Amino acid sequence: MRIPGTGGLCPVLVCLCFIQRAHGASHHLPARVLARNSGRNQSKLANGETEVHHRPKRGWIWNQFFVLEEHMGTEEQYVGKLHSNSDKGDGTVRYILSGEGAGTIFLINEVTGDIHATRSLDREKKSHYVLHAQALDRHTEEALEPKSEFIIKVQDINDNAPQFPDGPFVATVPEMSDVGTSVLQITATDADDPTYGNSARIVYSILQGQPYFSVDPKTGTIRTALANMDREAREHYIVVIQAKDMAGQVGGLSGSTVINVTLTDVNDNPPKFPQKNYQQYVPESAQVGKPVGKIKANDEDLGVNADIKYSIINSEGANMFSIATDKDTKEGIITLRKPLNYERKKTYTLHIEGTNTHSDPRFSYLGSFKDTATLKITVGDVDEAPVFSLDYYIMDVYENSPGGTEVGAVTARDPDSRNSPVRYYMDKKESDHIYFRIDEISGVIRTTQPLDREDTAWHNITVMASEVDNPGLLSYIPVTVQVLDVNDNAPQVAAADEEVIVCESTRAGQPIQTISAVDKDDFANGQRFSFALPSQMPVNPNFTLKDNEDSTASIVARRRRFTHLTQELYQLPVVVWDSGEPSLSGTSTLTLHVCPCQRHGKIRMCQGEAFLSSAGLSTGALIAILLCIVILLAIVVLFVTLKRSKKEPLIISEEDIRENVVTYDDEGGGEEDTEAFDIIALRNPAAAEELKFRRDVRPEARRMCGGGPRGHRSPSLQLDEVDVHEFIKQRLVEANMDTSGPPYDSLQTYAYEGQGSPTGSISPLDSPGTGAQSEKDYHYLDDWGPQFQKLAELYAEAEMNMKT
């Protein structure tokens, strides 16, 4: 049978019966069928779907939604009925059900087609089920109708109460906030269907917290409802908020949560002193910079809002005392700035002000956030130690003054009103007290022995003073004694123990070295010096002294040349005068050391020769010692070289084959046989000739000798006419042809100075005569370099020998 308007066959009829439990009663209600395309008997539901009240006709089928309210009970619920037009009521048709929950949640009667739900349905777990129905022939199991799909939708009921998953809550709001200040917004959740009915429509209300707070019924925003809430009066509040579904109607479900609201502090309270007048006792012995009292103002606020700054606002108190805030206790600590003196002032009045460091302009109408109090300080009388007239004493005394000389005096007094007599003592723990003593009554300090400024220029001692009535109470004062200088030390030449170097090439009138003087006395006693040679000694022929008139002097040579071979050391006494009163003088002997020098006076070998002189060795002895050492080293090297060059035999046997090169069969005649074979016959016939030894001679000698190895004579060579290269080539040919020496390479060295010299001849043969030679100045040899230094020394020595 066809469904009208569908154009197809629909042999199955599906009916849905809706069962509802309400108020504990169980009864059948009229069936409801949900259809989307049916136009019969439609009425709008709350969720916008269409409800169709229709009694199915034979052969029709609705492949649409079927609604079943969720049910939390345990009994079965009737869902609906399946019927096919092929069913004649004789039980030949069998109905089957498949799909979601078929056989478990939904069961079908195979004969009648009735569908029941065997379990409770919860929309919040599953909102709909898709099922398939089919009619079969019970005998043949053939499908009488094709499968038909339908959906069972679980309709929501209000079975879930609103919840606050994030509760309980904690919130803060500043005290003294305006009405309507937002505190916190909370949101409740409802598991019911928000699109069907009012099951999930929530309304908020406040159960606890009035009249201080209110809640917006729609948004859940909590606000202040009371003005000027004071934290100092009450700090914590508990607010209970309820959320109810069904838009707050009777019968709706509800849930609640707790909000702990705390009022935060603002600076709305000024500091307050508990009382207006305070008193404090401070002894006059209180130390400067130490706390002598404290005062505190109370502030009901917290944190930085309670920070207080204390100050002394009157000049009398501010000159003697200072006040600072203790960060931990918020107290004002009073400190002494100057020493107290009971005899001068016995009381002080301090006006102290406490002010908040952080102010809030919103509360300026409450007045100034500060307070004042008066503190009266009473100074207590204390037995004090004697007080010296000065903080320290500086005295002076001349050196070499006899013991008992007065240096100075100290003075102390009793600061108390009774003015007790004072006694003076010297601290025995200090080392300088042995040089001084002090009068016990007058405080006069005297020396015990003469003092030497050059030994100790300053002496530090400590003087103690005590009252006669209270000897245990002491006061101390440092005393510094300066020893004044007198001219009691003669000057000396500075670095007189060091040698003065005199170059051998020094000329007459040439300054050798500048000397200065030292004096242990103070600069005020003769630090300007004069120099001279001793007047009682004969005139020094070698050196003189020139006073530069600037406290220095120059040593000047009186002749032009010196040689260390003739005399190496000279002694020069020098007298130095200071300008003190009275003037003192001292004599120092300088040692002048003659040394060979290079140009510009640079010392060349003075230190080495000084060592040899001190060791007692002459130059010739040193050369002989060095030559012996070189010879010994050469012998050792030669011995090691020969030992290493010795080769081992290639064949080692009991019989040396070199002795049996020629063998003879005759036995010989024994010891008396004089006709034995001559071993010389075995030698090289060429070696039997007369041995010719190699002669290594200078080229000049070879030119004058006989012929070469072949008996011919070498031609004479004139060096001034033949090239040096050709000369060496000729000698190389002769060496290669010389067979008188062993066959190894030899080294022959030739030195050719050249033709002429820019300096001319220095041979004494060219001198005009002996007299002229003695008058010649050989100083120009110094300009030729160090190679001619020794020659200049020899000529100078010869000249001096001729003069002597």
PDB file of all heavy atoms in Angstrom, residues 688-702:
ATOM      1  N   ALA A 688     157.924   1.823  -2.815  1.00  0.00           N
ATOM      2  CA  ALA A 688     159.293   1.561  -2.414  1.00  0.00           C
ATOM      3  C   ALA A 688     160.170   2.751  -2.598  1.00  0.00           C
ATOM      4  O   ALA A 688     161.289   2.796  -2.099  1.00  0.00           O
ATOM      5  CB  ALA A 688     159.845   0.368  -3.212  1.00  0.00           C
ATOM      6  N   GLU A 689     159.689   3.712  -3.396  1.00  0.00           N
ATOM      7  CA  GLU A 689     160.494   4.913  -3.564  1.00  0.00           C
ATOM      8  C   GLU A 689     160.554   5.693  -2.269  1.00  0.00           C
ATOM      9  O   GLU A 689     159.847   5.394  -1.306  1.00  0.00           O
ATOM     10  CB  GLU A 689     159.887   5.760  -4.682  1.00  0.00           C
ATOM     11  CG  GLU A 689     159.862   5.059  -6.036  1.00  0.00           C
ATOM     12  CD  GLU A 689     159.240   5.925  -7.090  1.00  0.00           C
ATOM     13  OE1 GLU A 689     158.877   7.084  -6.741  1.00  0.00           O
ATOM     14  OE2 GLU A 689     159.106   5.480  -8.222  1.00  0.00           O
ATOM     15  N   GLU A 690     161.314   6.672  -2.294  1.00  0.00           N
ATOM     16  CA  GLU A 690     161.484   7.511  -1.096  1.00  0.00           C
ATOM     17  C   GLU A 690     160.164   8.197  -0.749  1.00  0.00           C
ATOM     18  O   GLU A 690     159.486   8.714  -1.631  1.00  0.00           O
ATOM     19  CB  GLU A 690     162.558   8.570  -1.358  1.00  0.00           C
ATOM     20  CG  GLU A 690     162.818   9.443  -0.131  1.00  0.00           C
ATOM     21  CD  GLU A 690     163.881  10.492  -0.422  1.00  0.00           C
ATOM     22  OE1 GLU A 690     164.425  10.478  -1.553  1.00  0.00           O
ATOM     23  OE2 GLU A 690     164.141  11.314   0.451  1.00  0.00           O
ATOM     24  N   LEU A 691     159.780   8.065   0.498  1.00  0.00           N
ATOM     25  CA  LEU A 691     158.507   8.649   0.926  1.00  0.00           C
ATOM     26  C   LEU A 691     158.533  10.147   0.748  1.00  0.00           C
ATOM     27  O   LEU A 691     159.515  10.798   1.097  1.00  0.00           O
ATOM     28  CB  LEU A 691     158.236   8.315   2.395  1.00  0.00           C
ATOM     29  CG  LEU A 691     158.055   6.831   2.696  1.00  0.00           C
ATOM     30  CD1 LEU A 691     157.865   6.641   4.198  1.00  0.00           C
ATOM     31  CD2 LEU A 691     156.880   6.274   1.937  1.00  0.00           C
ATOM     32  N   LYS A 692     157.441  10.655   0.194  1.00  0.00           N
ATOM     33  CA  LYS A 692     157.314  12.087  -0.027  1.00  0.00           C
ATOM     34  C   LYS A 692     156.211  12.599   0.876  1.00  0.00           C
ATOM     35  O   LYS A 692     155.077  12.152   0.767  1.00  0.00           O
ATOM     36  CB  LYS A 692     156.985  12.386  -1.490  1.00  0.00           C
ATOM     37  CG  LYS A 692     158.064  11.906  -2.452  1.00  0.00           C
ATOM     38  CD  LYS A 692     157.675  12.230  -3.886  1.00  0.00           C
ATOM     39  CE  LYS A 692     158.761  11.753  -4.845  1.00  0.00           C
ATOM     40  NZ  LYS A 692     158.418  12.046  -6.246  1.00  0.00           N
ATOM     41  N   PHE A 693     156.546  13.456   1.754  1.00  0.00           N
ATOM     42  CA  PHE A 693     155.568  14.012   2.689  1.00  0.00           C
ATOM     43  C   PHE A 693     154.958  15.279   2.104  1.00  0.00           C
ATOM     44  O   PHE A 693     155.655  16.063   1.474  1.00  0.00           O
ATOM     45  CB  PHE A 693     156.243  14.319   4.042  1.00  0.00           C
ATOM     46  CG  PHE A 693     156.772  13.087   4.714  1.00  0.00           C
ATOM     47  CD1 PHE A 693     158.116  12.737   4.574  1.00  0.00           C
ATOM     48  CD2 PHE A 693     155.925  12.288   5.457  1.00  0.00           C
ATOM     49  CE1 PHE A 693     158.590  11.617   5.189  1.00  0.00           C
ATOM     50  CE2 PHE A 693     156.421  11.164   6.073  1.00  0.00           C
ATOM     51  CZ  PHE A 693     157.749  10.819   5.938  1.00  0.00           C
ATOM     52  N   ARG A 694     153.658  15.460   2.387  1.00  0.00           N
ATOM     53  CA  ARG A 694     152.935  16.642   1.907  1.00  0.00           C
ATOM     54  C   ARG A 694     153.381  17.854   2.702  1.00  0.00           C
ATOM     55  O   ARG A 694     153.547  17.794   3.916  1.00  0.00           O
ATOM     56  CB  ARG A 694     151.431  16.443   2.083  1.00  0.00           C
ATOM     57  CG  ARG A 694     150.598  17.599   1.509  1.00  0.00           C
ATOM     58  CD  ARG A 694     149.145  17.318   1.733  1.00  0.00           C
ATOM     59  NE  ARG A 694     148.367  18.382   1.122  1.00  0.00           N
ATOM     60  CZ  ARG A 694     147.393  18.192   0.245  1.00  0.00           C
ATOM     61  NH1 ARG A 694     147.102  16.963  -0.109  1.00  0.00           N
ATOM     62  NH2 ARG A 694     146.711  19.203  -0.257  1.00  0.00           N
ATOM     63  N   ARG A 695     153.581  18.919   2.041  1.00  0.00           N
ATOM     64  CA  ARG A 695     154.017  20.149   2.688  1.00  0.00           C
ATOM     65  C   ARG A 695     152.922  21.192   2.528  1.00  0.00           C
ATOM     66  O   ARG A 695     152.609  21.599   1.413  1.00  0.00           O
ATOM     67  CB  ARG A 695     155.328  20.654   2.048  1.00  0.00           C
ATOM     68  CG  ARG A 695     156.507  19.740   2.308  1.00  0.00           C
ATOM     69  CD  ARG A 695     157.696  20.168   1.480  1.00  0.00           C
ATOM     70  NE  ARG A 695     157.434  19.977   0.055  1.00  0.00           N
ATOM     71  CZ  ARG A 695     158.246  20.422  -0.906  1.00  0.00           C
ATOM     72  NH1 ARG A 695     159.336  21.051  -0.617  1.00  0.00           N
ATOM     73  NH2 ARG A 695     157.939  20.222  -2.183  1.00  0.00           N
ATOM     74  N   ASP A 696     152.354  21.547   3.645  1.00  0.00           N
ATOM     75  CA  ASP A 696     151.336  22.623   3.647  1.00  0.00           C
ATOM     76  C   ASP A 696     152.024  23.908   4.056  1.00  0.00           C
ATOM     77  O   ASP A 696     152.340  24.115   5.231  1.00  0.00           O
ATOM     78  CB  ASP A 696     150.209  22.302   4.626  1.00  0.00           C
ATOM     79  CG  ASP A 696     149.418  21.091   4.151  1.00  0.00           C
ATOM     80  OD1 ASP A 696     149.364  20.877   2.938  1.00  0.00           O
ATOM     81  OD2 ASP A 696     148.871  20.371   5.015  1.00  0.00           O
ATOM     82  N   VAL A 697     152.313  24.728   3.129  1.00  0.00           N
ATOM     83  CA  VAL A 697     153.068  25.937   3.383  1.00  0.00           C
ATOM     84  C   VAL A 697     152.279  27.115   2.874  1.00  0.00           C
ATOM     85  O   VAL A 697     151.294  26.967   2.148  1.00  0.00           O
ATOM     86  CB  VAL A 697     154.464  25.883   2.714  1.00  0.00           C
ATOM     87  CG1 VAL A 697     155.297  24.773   3.314  1.00  0.00           C
ATOM     88  CG2 VAL A 697     154.308  25.685   1.218  1.00  0.00           C
ATOM     89  N   ARG A 698     152.643  28.264   3.301  1.00  0.00           N
ATOM     90  CA  ARG A 698     152.016  29.487   2.849  1.00  0.00           C
ATOM     91  C   ARG A 698     152.344  29.715   1.387  1.00  0.00           C
ATOM     92  O   ARG A 698     153.365  29.259   0.894  1.00  0.00           O
ATOM     93  CB  ARG A 698     152.483  30.657   3.700  1.00  0.00           C
ATOM     94  CG  ARG A 698     152.100  30.490   5.165  1.00  0.00           C
ATOM     95  CD  ARG A 698     152.631  31.625   5.976  1.00  0.00           C
ATOM     96  NE  ARG A 698     152.063  32.890   5.525  1.00  0.00           N
ATOM     97  CZ  ARG A 698     152.381  34.071   6.049  1.00  0.00           C
ATOM     98  NH1 ARG A 698     153.251  34.139   6.996  1.00  0.00           N
ATOM     99  NH2 ARG A 698     151.826  35.164   5.574  1.00  0.00           N
ATOM    100  N   PRO A 699     151.540  30.444   0.679  1.00  0.00           N
ATOM    101  CA  PRO A 699     151.787  30.647  -0.758  1.00  0.00           C
ATOM    102  C   PRO A 699     153.129  31.301  -1.024  1.00  0.00           C
ATOM    103  O   PRO A 699     153.802  30.962  -1.993  1.00  0.00           O
ATOM    104  CB  PRO A 699     150.643  31.559  -1.178  1.00  0.00           C
ATOM    105  CG  PRO A 699     149.541  31.232  -0.208  1.00  0.00           C
ATOM    106  CD  PRO A 699     150.227  30.938   1.071  1.00  0.00           C
ATOM    107  N   GLU A 700     153.548  32.228  -0.141  1.00  0.00           N
ATOM    108  CA  GLU A 700     154.813  32.889  -0.379  1.00  0.00           C
ATOM    109  C   GLU A 700     155.963  31.885  -0.303  1.00  0.00           C
ATOM    110  O   GLU A 700     156.924  31.926  -1.063  1.00  0.00           O
ATOM    111  CB  GLU A 700     155.013  34.019   0.628  1.00  0.00           C
ATOM    112  CG  GLU A 700     154.049  35.181   0.471  1.00  0.00           C
ATOM    113  CD  GLU A 700     152.716  34.881   1.074  1.00  0.00           C
ATOM    114  OE1 GLU A 700     152.556  33.780   1.659  1.00  0.00           O
ATOM    115  OE2 GLU A 700     151.805  35.719   0.982  1.00  0.00           O
ATOM    116  N   ALA A 701     155.871  30.939   0.670  1.00  0.00           N
ATOM    117  CA  ALA A 701     156.940  29.944   0.819  1.00  0.00           C
ATOM    118  C   ALA A 701     156.969  28.989  -0.351  1.00  0.00           C
ATOM    119  O   ALA A 701     158.004  28.560  -0.823  1.00  0.00           O
ATOM    120  CB  ALA A 701     156.774  29.189   2.127  1.00  0.00           C
ATOM    121  N   ARG A 702     155.769  28.600  -0.850  1.00  0.00           N
ATOM    122  CA  ARG A 702     155.718  27.672  -1.975  1.00  0.00           C
ATOM    123  C   ARG A 702     156.319  28.296  -3.228  1.00  0.00           C
ATOM    124  O   ARG A 702     156.901  27.624  -4.063  1.00  0.00           O
ATOM    125  CB  ARG A 702     154.267  27.256  -2.234  1.00  0.00           C
ATOM    126  CG  ARG A 702     153.675  26.387  -1.147  1.00  0.00           C
ATOM    127  CD  ARG A 702     154.351  25.042  -1.105  1.00  0.00           C
ATOM    128  NE  ARG A 702     154.178  24.359  -2.355  1.00  0.00           N
ATOM    129  CZ  ARG A 702     153.162  23.512  -2.578  1.00  0.00           C
ATOM    130  NH1 ARG A 702     152.293  23.282  -1.629  1.00  0.00           N
ATOM    131  NH2 ARG A 702     153.054  22.922  -3.758  1.00  0.00           N
TER     132      ARG A 702
END
